[in-house]
Amino acid sequence: AQKITQTQPGMFVQEKEAVTLDCTYDTSDQSYGLFWYKQPSSGEMIFLIYQGSYDEQNATEGRYSLNFQKARKSANLVISASQLGDSAMYFCAMRERGGSNYKLTFGKGTLLTVNP
Amino acid sequence: DVKVTQSSRYLVKRTGEKVFLECVQDMDHENMFWYRQDPGLGLRLIYFSYDVKMKEKGDIPEGYSVSREKKERFSLILESASTNQTSMYLCASSLEGRNQPQHFGDGTRLSIL
C-alpha cells in the first residue's frame, strides 16, 4: 500500500485564487512528520512547510498553509493568492518514527498550473 | 541559507563506465541522502548516511554504492553504468530530528548511452 497518496496528477488554478492540493498518508506510528516540497521545471526541490503529528495548530508559512486532519490522515496544502511562479510539481512527504529514523517517503506529486 | 551543491547539472556517460556523482553541503548536516527521480515513480531513496563513513541502503540500492569520507561530502557511485540508470539524481541533507526538512541540491540529469 502506498504510504503517501496524492490523488490529483494535475491541477489548474486562476492567478490570485486559492488552491488546495490533496495528500493522504498511511502510518501506524503516533509520532510522524509531514512535509511539502515544490519542484519547478528547473528541477530543484524546495522545502515549503512542515507539520508534526503532535502539533495542535495547522502550520502556516506565508501564502502556504497546511490543512491537517489527523483522524482522516490528510495533510492538504493550501496556497492562497496563487502566482504564476507557483506553477510547479508539488510533493507531499512523510517521516515516520518506526524503522529508519531518517527516511522520507514521497508521494508521486501534483502538477499545478497557474493561469493568468 | 542551506546550500547543497551537486557537481554536475547534466552528465552523459557510456554503458559500463564507472560514474561518480558528487554532493557537498555547507551547513554541517549529519544526514545526507541520494534519490533518483523518474516520471511516474516519484522520488526513490537509493542510499543515505547519518554520519561520516556510515551508510544505509534505501529502497533501490542495487547497482549503486556511496562514500562519505568527510561530513560535508556524499558521493554516489555507479559501479558499471547501465541504460536503466538514466535518471534525475537528487542529493539532500538534513539535521537530525524528526521535524528537520531535507534540503536538496539542483539535481543531476544523468544519461547513460
Side-chain angles (χ1 to χ4, degrees):
Chain A
Q2 284 189 48
K3 292 254 182 185
I4 297 284
T5 303
Q6 295 181 252
T7 57
Q8 307 150 315
M11 286 281 286
F12 293 88
V13 65
Q14 211 62 28
E15 195 178 6
K16 298 180 186 174
E17 290 184 354
V19 63
T20 298
L21 305 183
D22 294 342
C23 173
T24 57
Y25 57 92
D26 181 25
T27 181
S28 55
D29 287 350
Q30 297 303 309
S31 177
Y32 52 89
L34 297 155
F35 301 79
W36 276 92
Y37 285 85
K38 171 185 177 181
Q39 187 178 40
S41 57
S42 49
E44 72 274 27
M45 293 280 284
I46 302 164
F47 165 67
L48 296 177
I49 196 166
Y50 166 81
Q51 179 85 41
S53 58
Y54 292 122
D55 295 343
E56 303 221 339
Q57 296 204 343
N58 287 340
T60 61
E61 286 286 348
R63 293 186 299 111
Y64 304 109
S65 60
L66 207 151
N67 183 1
F68 181 46
Q69 298 188 39
K70 194 169 180 177
R72 294 185 178 183
K73 293 188 176 177
S74 76
N76 299 338
L77 178 70
V78 181
I79 305 174
S80 63
S82 297
Q83 301 172 356
L84 295 178
D86 293 335
S87 294
M89 280 290 287
Y90 288 82
F91 292 93
C92 180
M94 177 174 64
R95 172 181 284 155
E96 299 168 277
R97 188 168 189 85
S100 165
N101 215 9
Y102 311 96
K103 182 180 168 181
L104 273 182
T105 303
F106 286 82
K108 296 218 168 124
T110 295
L111 180 61
L112 176 66
T113 302
V114 180
N115 293 319
Chain B
D1 274 356
V2 177
K3 184 69 177 171
V4 179
T5 303
Q6 294 184 229
S7 52
S8 304
R9 199 70 200 270
Y10 300 93
L11 203 55
V12 180
K13 295 290 183 182
R14 297 212 171 270
T15 304
E17 280 192 67
K18 191 168 186 176
V19 180
F20 293 85
L21 302 183
E22 306 286 347
C23 176
V24 177
Q25 50 95 3
D26 67 355
M27 286 302 291
D28 206 34
H29 284 175
E30 292 86 358
N31 304 325
M32 296 189 74
F33 309 82
W34 275 107
Y35 294 88
R36 64 177 283 177
Q37 184 177 23
D38 301 288
L41 296 177
L43 275 83
R44 293 178 292 167
L45 182 66
I46 304 171
Y47 267 98
F48 65 96
S49 169
Y50 50 90
D51 202 350
V52 175
K53 296 191 188 295
M54 306 304 288
K55 61 187 179 186
E56 280 198 30
K57 293 179 180 179
D59 298 318
I60 50 163
E62 296 78 19
Y64 304 94
S65 62
V66 290
S67 172
R68 193 165 180 203
E69 296 296 317
K70 294 185 177 181
K71 190 174 186 179
E72 67 269 20
R73 185 179 297 270
F74 192 36
S75 303
L76 180 70
I77 303 153
L78 286 65
E79 297 288 344
S80 177
S82 63
T83 55
N84 63 11
Q85 292 178 309
T86 291
S87 186
M88 172 73 135
Y89 289 87
L90 290 160
C91 174
S93 72
S94 76
L95 290 168
E96 282 208 24
R98 178 172 49 82
N99 63 340
Q100 296 298 324
Q102 293 181 16
H103 299 273
F104 285 80
D106 289 346
T108 296
R109 290 193 184 274
L110 174 64
S111 295
I112 308 296
L113 304 179

PDB file of all heavy atoms in Angstrom, chain B residues 76-107:
ATOM      1  N   LEU B  76      27.883   9.448  -4.789  1.00  0.00           N
ATOM      2  CA  LEU B  76      27.141   8.300  -5.321  1.00  0.00           C
ATOM      3  C   LEU B  76      27.945   7.716  -6.464  1.00  0.00           C
ATOM      4  O   LEU B  76      28.395   8.457  -7.347  1.00  0.00           O
ATOM      5  CB  LEU B  76      25.764   8.735  -5.810  1.00  0.00           C
ATOM      6  CG  LEU B  76      24.881   7.634  -6.400  1.00  0.00           C
ATOM      7  CD1 LEU B  76      24.412   6.668  -5.314  1.00  0.00           C
ATOM      8  CD2 LEU B  76      23.670   8.238  -7.125  1.00  0.00           C
ATOM      9  N   ILE B  77      28.116   6.399  -6.449  1.00  0.00           N
ATOM     10  CA  ILE B  77      28.946   5.731  -7.447  1.00  0.00           C
ATOM     11  C   ILE B  77      28.108   4.691  -8.185  1.00  0.00           C
ATOM     12  O   ILE B  77      27.450   3.859  -7.550  1.00  0.00           O
ATOM     13  CB  ILE B  77      30.152   5.051  -6.769  1.00  0.00           C
ATOM     14  CG1 ILE B  77      30.950   6.096  -5.968  1.00  0.00           C
ATOM     15  CG2 ILE B  77      31.053   4.379  -7.810  1.00  0.00           C
ATOM     16  CD1 ILE B  77      31.697   5.533  -4.810  1.00  0.00           C
ATOM     17  N   LEU B  78      28.134   4.811  -9.508  1.00  0.00           N
ATOM     18  CA  LEU B  78      27.545   3.774 -10.349  1.00  0.00           C
ATOM     19  C   LEU B  78      28.716   2.913 -10.804  1.00  0.00           C
ATOM     20  O   LEU B  78      29.560   3.351 -11.589  1.00  0.00           O
ATOM     21  CB  LEU B  78      26.825   4.377 -11.556  1.00  0.00           C
ATOM     22  CG  LEU B  78      25.490   5.073 -11.316  1.00  0.00           C
ATOM     23  CD1 LEU B  78      25.616   6.316 -10.454  1.00  0.00           C
ATOM     24  CD2 LEU B  78      24.816   5.389 -12.640  1.00  0.00           C
ATOM     25  N   GLU B  79      28.786   1.706 -10.275  1.00  0.00           N
ATOM     26  CA  GLU B  79      29.979   0.877 -10.479  1.00  0.00           C
ATOM     27  C   GLU B  79      30.177   0.528 -11.957  1.00  0.00           C
ATOM     28  O   GLU B  79      31.282   0.549 -12.466  1.00  0.00           O
ATOM     29  CB  GLU B  79      29.876  -0.396  -9.645  1.00  0.00           C
ATOM     30  CG  GLU B  79      29.839  -0.139  -8.142  1.00  0.00           C
ATOM     31  CD  GLU B  79      31.188   0.319  -7.599  1.00  0.00           C
ATOM     32  OE1 GLU B  79      32.218   0.158  -8.303  1.00  0.00           O
ATOM     33  OE2 GLU B  79      31.219   0.837  -6.473  1.00  0.00           O
ATOM     34  N   SER B  80      29.099   0.197 -12.634  1.00  0.00           N
ATOM     35  CA  SER B  80      29.151  -0.117 -14.068  1.00  0.00           C
ATOM     36  C   SER B  80      27.828   0.357 -14.657  1.00  0.00           C
ATOM     37  O   SER B  80      26.821  -0.354 -14.589  1.00  0.00           O
ATOM     38  CB  SER B  80      29.353  -1.625 -14.275  1.00  0.00           C
ATOM     39  OG  SER B  80      29.327  -1.938 -15.661  1.00  0.00           O
ATOM     40  N   ALA B  81      27.856   1.571 -15.191  1.00  0.00           N
ATOM     41  CA  ALA B  81      26.604   2.232 -15.577  1.00  0.00           C
ATOM     42  C   ALA B  81      25.829   1.419 -16.612  1.00  0.00           C
ATOM     43  O   ALA B  81      26.411   0.825 -17.540  1.00  0.00           O
ATOM     44  CB  ALA B  81      26.914   3.619 -16.126  1.00  0.00           C
ATOM     45  N   SER B  82      24.510   1.432 -16.437  1.00  0.00           N
ATOM     46  CA  SER B  82      23.639   0.771 -17.407  1.00  0.00           C
ATOM     47  C   SER B  82      22.556   1.767 -17.838  1.00  0.00           C
ATOM     48  O   SER B  82      22.283   2.755 -17.141  1.00  0.00           O
ATOM     49  CB  SER B  82      23.001  -0.479 -16.806  1.00  0.00           C
ATOM     50  OG  SER B  82      22.177  -0.133 -15.719  1.00  0.00           O
ATOM     51  N   THR B  83      21.940   1.487 -18.980  1.00  0.00           N
ATOM     52  CA  THR B  83      20.971   2.433 -19.535  1.00  0.00           C
ATOM     53  C   THR B  83      19.781   2.649 -18.603  1.00  0.00           C
ATOM     54  O   THR B  83      19.186   3.734 -18.601  1.00  0.00           O
ATOM     55  CB  THR B  83      20.475   1.966 -20.912  1.00  0.00           C
ATOM     56  OG1 THR B  83      19.958   0.637 -20.796  1.00  0.00           O
ATOM     57  CG2 THR B  83      21.601   1.979 -21.928  1.00  0.00           C
ATOM     58  N   ASN B  84      19.442   1.662 -17.783  1.00  0.00           N
ATOM     59  CA  ASN B  84      18.304   1.845 -16.870  1.00  0.00           C
ATOM     60  C   ASN B  84      18.648   2.725 -15.673  1.00  0.00           C
ATOM     61  O   ASN B  84      17.801   2.961 -14.789  1.00  0.00           O
ATOM     62  CB  ASN B  84      17.715   0.499 -16.418  1.00  0.00           C
ATOM     63  CG  ASN B  84      18.697  -0.330 -15.624  1.00  0.00           C
ATOM     64  OD1 ASN B  84      19.758   0.143 -15.214  1.00  0.00           O
ATOM     65  ND2 ASN B  84      18.354  -1.584 -15.393  1.00  0.00           N
ATOM     66  N   GLN B  85      19.857   3.213 -15.641  1.00  0.00           N
ATOM     67  CA  GLN B  85      20.235   4.182 -14.612  1.00  0.00           C
ATOM     68  C   GLN B  85      20.176   5.623 -15.130  1.00  0.00           C
ATOM     69  O   GLN B  85      20.536   6.560 -14.412  1.00  0.00           O
ATOM     70  CB  GLN B  85      21.628   3.856 -14.056  1.00  0.00           C
ATOM     71  CG  GLN B  85      21.638   2.557 -13.259  1.00  0.00           C
ATOM     72  CD  GLN B  85      23.007   2.195 -12.743  1.00  0.00           C
ATOM     73  OE1 GLN B  85      23.985   2.169 -13.510  1.00  0.00           O
ATOM     74  NE2 GLN B  85      23.104   1.893 -11.454  1.00  0.00           N
ATOM     75  N   THR B  86      19.712   5.768 -16.359  1.00  0.00           N
ATOM     76  CA  THR B  86      19.425   7.111 -16.867  1.00  0.00           C
ATOM     77  C   THR B  86      18.289   7.696 -16.045  1.00  0.00           C
ATOM     78  O   THR B  86      17.210   7.114 -15.954  1.00  0.00           O
ATOM     79  CB  THR B  86      19.027   7.054 -18.342  1.00  0.00           C
ATOM     80  OG1 THR B  86      20.172   6.688 -19.122  1.00  0.00           O
ATOM     81  CG2 THR B  86      18.515   8.399 -18.832  1.00  0.00           C
ATOM     82  N   SER B  87      18.544   8.852 -15.424  1.00  0.00           N
ATOM     83  CA  SER B  87      17.554   9.382 -14.490  1.00  0.00           C
ATOM     84  C   SER B  87      18.006  10.754 -14.002  1.00  0.00           C
ATOM     85  O   SER B  87      19.098  11.222 -14.317  1.00  0.00           O
ATOM     86  CB  SER B  87      17.413   8.441 -13.284  1.00  0.00           C
ATOM     87  OG  SER B  87      16.358   8.846 -12.420  1.00  0.00           O
ATOM     88  N   MET B  88      17.144  11.370 -13.206  1.00  0.00           N
ATOM     89  CA  MET B  88      17.482  12.581 -12.461  1.00  0.00           C
ATOM     90  C   MET B  88      17.905  12.140 -11.070  1.00  0.00           C
ATOM     91  O   MET B  88      17.162  11.409 -10.395  1.00  0.00           O
ATOM     92  CB  MET B  88      16.262  13.502 -12.380  1.00  0.00           C
ATOM     93  CG  MET B  88      16.458  14.696 -11.460  1.00  0.00           C
ATOM     94  SD  MET B  88      17.550  15.930 -12.143  1.00  0.00           S
ATOM     95  CE  MET B  88      16.617  17.410 -11.785  1.00  0.00           C
ATOM     96  N   TYR B  89      19.091  12.593 -10.637  1.00  0.00           N
ATOM     97  CA  TYR B  89      19.596  12.227  -9.315  1.00  0.00           C
ATOM     98  C   TYR B  89      19.614  13.468  -8.434  1.00  0.00           C
ATOM     99  O   TYR B  89      20.138  14.515  -8.812  1.00  0.00           O
ATOM    100  CB  TYR B  89      20.994  11.628  -9.428  1.00  0.00           C
ATOM    101  CG  TYR B  89      20.969  10.252 -10.052  1.00  0.00           C
ATOM    102  CD1 TYR B  89      21.007  10.111 -11.441  1.00  0.00           C
ATOM    103  CD2 TYR B  89      20.856   9.120  -9.264  1.00  0.00           C
ATOM    104  CE1 TYR B  89      20.944   8.849 -12.017  1.00  0.00           C
ATOM    105  CE2 TYR B  89      20.801   7.857  -9.836  1.00  0.00           C
ATOM    106  CZ  TYR B  89      20.839   7.730 -11.212  1.00  0.00           C
ATOM    107  OH  TYR B  89      20.757   6.483 -11.782  1.00  0.00           O
ATOM    108  N   LEU B  90      19.023  13.310  -7.251  1.00  0.00           N
ATOM    109  CA  LEU B  90      18.915  14.423  -6.313  1.00  0.00           C
ATOM    110  C   LEU B  90      19.618  14.065  -5.010  1.00  0.00           C
ATOM    111  O   LEU B  90      19.387  13.002  -4.441  1.00  0.00           O
ATOM    112  CB  LEU B  90      17.453  14.734  -6.020  1.00  0.00           C
ATOM    113  CG  LEU B  90      16.676  15.359  -7.171  1.00  0.00           C
ATOM    114  CD1 LEU B  90      15.184  15.193  -6.979  1.00  0.00           C
ATOM    115  CD2 LEU B  90      17.007  16.835  -7.301  1.00  0.00           C
ATOM    116  N   CYS B  91      20.456  14.991  -4.557  1.00  0.00           N
ATOM    117  CA  CYS B  91      21.132  14.852  -3.268  1.00  0.00           C
ATOM    118  C   CYS B  91      20.424  15.755  -2.267  1.00  0.00           C
ATOM    119  O   CYS B  91      19.916  16.834  -2.639  1.00  0.00           O
ATOM    120  CB  CYS B  91      22.590  15.269  -3.421  1.00  0.00           C
ATOM    121  SG  CYS B  91      23.516  15.307  -1.870  1.00  0.00           S
ATOM    122  N   ALA B  92      20.383  15.336  -1.001  1.00  0.00           N
ATOM    123  CA  ALA B  92      19.764  16.151   0.042  1.00  0.00           C
ATOM    124  C   ALA B  92      20.553  15.996   1.330  1.00  0.00           C
ATOM    125  O   ALA B  92      21.292  15.025   1.518  1.00  0.00           O
ATOM    126  CB  ALA B  92      18.308  15.729   0.266  1.00  0.00           C
ATOM    127  N   SER B  93      20.376  16.971   2.219  1.00  0.00           N
ATOM    128  CA  SER B  93      20.989  16.879   3.539  1.00  0.00           C
ATOM    129  C   SER B  93      20.012  17.403   4.573  1.00  0.00           C
ATOM    130  O   SER B  93      19.097  18.184   4.247  1.00  0.00           O
ATOM    131  CB  SER B  93      22.305  17.656   3.599  1.00  0.00           C
ATOM    132  OG  SER B  93      22.076  19.056   3.584  1.00  0.00           O
ATOM    133  N   SER B  94      20.204  16.987   5.824  1.00  0.00           N
ATOM    134  CA  SER B  94      19.345  17.485   6.902  1.00  0.00           C
ATOM    135  C   SER B  94      20.063  17.353   8.232  1.00  0.00           C
ATOM    136  O   SER B  94      20.990  16.550   8.390  1.00  0.00           O
ATOM    137  CB  SER B  94      18.020  16.709   6.959  1.00  0.00           C
ATOM    138  OG  SER B  94      18.200  15.440   7.545  1.00  0.00           O
ATOM    139  N   LEU B  95      19.594  18.142   9.176  1.00  0.00           N
ATOM    140  CA  LEU B  95      19.985  17.952  10.562  1.00  0.00           C
ATOM    141  C   LEU B  95      19.259  16.733  11.112  1.00  0.00           C
ATOM    142  O   LEU B  95      18.287  16.252  10.525  1.00  0.00           O
ATOM    143  CB  LEU B  95      19.597  19.178  11.391  1.00  0.00           C
ATOM    144  CG  LEU B  95      20.398  20.458  11.120  1.00  0.00           C
ATOM    145  CD1 LEU B  95      19.715  21.651  11.778  1.00  0.00           C
ATOM    146  CD2 LEU B  95      21.819  20.314  11.617  1.00  0.00           C
ATOM    147  N   GLU B  96      19.730  16.245  12.243  1.00  0.00           N
ATOM    148  CA  GLU B  96      18.981  15.184  12.928  1.00  0.00           C
ATOM    149  C   GLU B  96      17.699  15.757  13.505  1.00  0.00           C
ATOM    150  O   GLU B  96      17.623  16.916  13.839  1.00  0.00           O
ATOM    151  CB  GLU B  96      19.834  14.622  14.076  1.00  0.00           C
ATOM    152  CG  GLU B  96      20.888  13.677  13.599  1.00  0.00           C
ATOM    153  CD  GLU B  96      21.254  12.650  14.640  1.00  0.00           C
ATOM    154  OE1 GLU B  96      20.438  12.364  15.527  1.00  0.00           O
ATOM    155  OE2 GLU B  96      22.374  12.152  14.568  1.00  0.00           O
ATOM    156  N   GLY B  97      16.687  14.905  13.612  1.00  0.00           N
ATOM    157  CA  GLY B  97      15.431  15.354  14.200  1.00  0.00           C
ATOM    158  C   GLY B  97      14.276  15.106  13.263  1.00  0.00           C
ATOM    159  O   GLY B  97      14.375  15.364  12.061  1.00  0.00           O
ATOM    160  N   ARG B  98      13.184  14.653  13.840  1.00  0.00           N
ATOM    161  CA  ARG B  98      12.029  14.273  13.033  1.00  0.00           C
ATOM    162  C   ARG B  98      11.439  15.450  12.287  1.00  0.00           C
ATOM    163  O   ARG B  98      10.860  15.305  11.218  1.00  0.00           O
ATOM    164  CB  ARG B  98      10.973  13.650  13.957  1.00  0.00           C
ATOM    165  CG  ARG B  98       9.690  13.238  13.291  1.00  0.00           C
ATOM    166  CD  ARG B  98       8.821  12.469  14.271  1.00  0.00           C
ATOM    167  NE  ARG B  98       8.693  13.153  15.549  1.00  0.00           N
ATOM    168  CZ  ARG B  98       7.845  14.128  15.794  1.00  0.00           C
ATOM    169  NH1 ARG B  98       7.046  14.562  14.846  1.00  0.00           N
ATOM    170  NH2 ARG B  98       7.770  14.697  16.987  1.00  0.00           N
ATOM    171  N   ASN B  99      11.568  16.654  12.854  1.00  0.00           N
ATOM    172  CA  ASN B  99      10.943  17.807  12.225  1.00  0.00           C
ATOM    173  C   ASN B  99      11.887  18.558  11.295  1.00  0.00           C
ATOM    174  O   ASN B  99      11.537  19.616  10.785  1.00  0.00           O
ATOM    175  CB  ASN B  99      10.429  18.764  13.304  1.00  0.00           C
ATOM    176  CG  ASN B  99      11.565  19.325  14.148  1.00  0.00           C
ATOM    177  OD1 ASN B  99      12.654  18.737  14.188  1.00  0.00           O
ATOM    178  ND2 ASN B  99      11.336  20.432  14.796  1.00  0.00           N
ATOM    179  N   GLN B 100      13.056  18.008  11.056  1.00  0.00           N
ATOM    180  CA  GLN B 100      14.034  18.700  10.218  1.00  0.00           C
ATOM    181  C   GLN B 100      13.803  18.389   8.745  1.00  0.00           C
ATOM    182  O   GLN B 100      13.793  17.225   8.344  1.00  0.00           O
ATOM    183  CB  GLN B 100      15.448  18.302  10.618  1.00  0.00           C
ATOM    184  CG  GLN B 100      15.831  18.716  12.017  1.00  0.00           C
ATOM    185  CD  GLN B 100      15.805  20.221  12.180  1.00  0.00           C
ATOM    186  OE1 GLN B 100      16.155  20.964  11.265  1.00  0.00           O
ATOM    187  NE2 GLN B 100      15.359  20.670  13.341  1.00  0.00           N
ATOM    188  N   PRO B 101      13.618  19.405   7.920  1.00  0.00           N
ATOM    189  CA  PRO B 101      13.416  19.132   6.496  1.00  0.00           C
ATOM    190  C   PRO B 101      14.718  18.721   5.818  1.00  0.00           C
ATOM    191  O   PRO B 101      15.804  19.062   6.272  1.00  0.00           O
ATOM    192  CB  PRO B 101      12.931  20.479   5.959  1.00  0.00           C
ATOM    193  CG  PRO B 101      13.560  21.485   6.870  1.00  0.00           C
ATOM    194  CD  PRO B 101      13.601  20.836   8.236  1.00  0.00           C
ATOM    195  N   GLN B 102      14.576  18.006   4.737  1.00  0.00           N
ATOM    196  CA  GLN B 102      15.725  17.732   3.886  1.00  0.00           C
ATOM    197  C   GLN B 102      15.853  18.878   2.888  1.00  0.00           C
ATOM    198  O   GLN B 102      14.865  19.336   2.320  1.00  0.00           O
ATOM    199  CB  GLN B 102      15.547  16.397   3.163  1.00  0.00           C
ATOM    200  CG  GLN B 102      15.587  15.215   4.123  1.00  0.00           C
ATOM    201  CD  GLN B 102      15.439  13.884   3.423  1.00  0.00           C
ATOM    202  OE1 GLN B 102      15.598  13.768   2.218  1.00  0.00           O
ATOM    203  NE2 GLN B 102      15.148  12.845   4.207  1.00  0.00           N
ATOM    204  N   HIS B 103      17.086  19.310   2.678  1.00  0.00           N
ATOM    205  CA  HIS B 103      17.373  20.376   1.729  1.00  0.00           C
ATOM    206  C   HIS B 103      18.075  19.764   0.530  1.00  0.00           C
ATOM    207  O   HIS B 103      19.050  19.038   0.686  1.00  0.00           O
ATOM    208  CB  HIS B 103      18.245  21.449   2.385  1.00  0.00           C
ATOM    209  CG  HIS B 103      17.583  22.099   3.552  1.00  0.00           C
ATOM    210  ND1 HIS B 103      16.753  23.188   3.407  1.00  0.00           N
ATOM    211  CD2 HIS B 103      17.600  21.804   4.862  1.00  0.00           C
ATOM    212  CE1 HIS B 103      16.293  23.547   4.605  1.00  0.00           C
ATOM    213  NE2 HIS B 103      16.786  22.723   5.503  1.00  0.00           N
ATOM    214  N   PHE B 104      17.567  20.100  -0.638  1.00  0.00           N
ATOM    215  CA  PHE B 104      18.011  19.426  -1.853  1.00  0.00           C
ATOM    216  C   PHE B 104      18.949  20.291  -2.695  1.00  0.00           C
ATOM    217  O   PHE B 104      18.851  21.528  -2.701  1.00  0.00           O
ATOM    218  CB  PHE B 104      16.797  19.060  -2.714  1.00  0.00           C
ATOM    219  CG  PHE B 104      16.017  17.894  -2.193  1.00  0.00           C
ATOM    220  CD1 PHE B 104      15.116  18.050  -1.152  1.00  0.00           C
ATOM    221  CD2 PHE B 104      16.187  16.630  -2.738  1.00  0.00           C
ATOM    222  CE1 PHE B 104      14.397  16.966  -0.666  1.00  0.00           C
ATOM    223  CE2 PHE B 104      15.466  15.537  -2.257  1.00  0.00           C
ATOM    224  CZ  PHE B 104      14.573  15.709  -1.223  1.00  0.00           C
ATOM    225  N   GLY B 105      19.800  19.607  -3.455  1.00  0.00           N
ATOM    226  CA  GLY B 105      20.572  20.254  -4.498  1.00  0.00           C
ATOM    227  C   GLY B 105      19.726  20.423  -5.754  1.00  0.00           C
ATOM    228  O   GLY B 105      18.554  20.064  -5.785  1.00  0.00           O
ATOM    229  N   ASP B 106      20.345  20.976  -6.793  1.00  0.00           N
ATOM    230  CA  ASP B 106      19.623  21.262  -8.035  1.00  0.00           C
ATOM    231  C   ASP B 106      19.396  20.033  -8.901  1.00  0.00           C
ATOM    232  O   ASP B 106      18.660  20.099  -9.879  1.00  0.00           O
ATOM    233  CB  ASP B 106      20.386  22.305  -8.851  1.00  0.00           C
ATOM    234  CG  ASP B 106      20.315  23.685  -8.226  1.00  0.00           C
ATOM    235  OD1 ASP B 106      19.475  23.877  -7.325  1.00  0.00           O
ATOM    236  OD2 ASP B 106      21.110  24.553  -8.615  1.00  0.00           O
ATOM    237  N   GLY B 107      20.045  18.928  -8.557  1.00  0.00           N
ATOM    238  CA  GLY B 107      19.850  17.704  -9.317  1.00  0.00           C
ATOM    239  C   GLY B 107      20.863  17.532 -10.441  1.00  0.00           C
ATOM    240  O   GLY B 107      21.418  18.507 -10.958  1.00  0.00           O
TER     241      GLY B 107
END
